[in-house]
Amino acid sequence: QVQLVESGGGSVVAGGSLRLSCARSESTYSSNCMAWFRQAPGKEREGVAAIFTHGGSTVYTDSVKGRFTISQDSAKNALYLQMNNLKPEDTAMYYCAADCPPDYYGANWPKDAESLFGYWGQGTQVTVSS
């Protein structure tokens, strides 16, 4: 059973930055991919970014391209999300997710992506004020 623990959330003013971290209980090499999702109040959970372990390719949802960067440190079994130029619409609970099918490499990200991930963290809150 893979355990995921997020940290790094907080409250910032628009234009600020935060770095989210996700600690994984076992090697990141044991899964094809890891990802960040978010859920704002009253909205469905949406995929933010994903990274594929073998090759390091990444995908992002359009609203965060150029502002967010997903990365991983296999030696530390950790996943990160660097978030720059934050906007009030980025306010949400952010979740770390792991283990997508071996033949998935982000096609049509983030459409229908949530159902592909087998493990989820408890989330970390990000609040951006204007």
Side-chain angles (χ1 to χ4, degrees):
Q1 183 79 9
V2 175
Q3 294 184 339
L4 303 171
V5 179
E6 302 95 334
S7 61
S11 297
V12 296
V13 177
S17 298
L18 283 173
R19 187 192 194 209
L20 305 184
S21 298
C22 173
R24 180 184 171 123
S25 61
E26 60 182 53
S27 172
T28 56
Y29 280 114
S30 64
S31 67
N32 178 42
C33 62
M34 296 188 70
W36 290 98
F37 287 75
R38 66 185 179 186
Q39 187 168 21
K43 295 187 177 181
E44 294 185 351
R45 189 154 54 183
E46 65 168 346
V48 176
I51 186 166
F52 297 89
T53 302
H54 306 294
S57 61
T58 58
V59 290
Y60 297 90
T61 193
D62 286 345
S63 62
V64 307
K65 287 179 180 177
R67 300 189 297 122
F68 291 10
T69 302
I70 188 171
S71 62
Q72 62 182 0
D73 186 333
S74 299
K76 297 181 178 179
N77 294 340
L79 178 73
Y80 305 103
L81 185 68
Q82 178 66 44
M83 304 186 296
N84 298 329
N85 191 22
L86 282 160
K87 303 176 180 181
E89 51 264 43
D90 295 318
T91 294
M93 184 72 79
Y94 283 71
Y95 298 90
C96 174
D99 288 6
C100 64
D103 58 349
Y104 177 68
Y105 282 95
N108 300 316
W109 178 269
K111 181 176 172 59
D112 298 326
E114 183 177 356
S115 63
L116 299 175
F117 287 80
Y119 298 100
W120 295 83
Q122 294 300 306
T124 185
Q125 178 67 38
V126 171
T127 302
V128 185
S129 59
S130 58

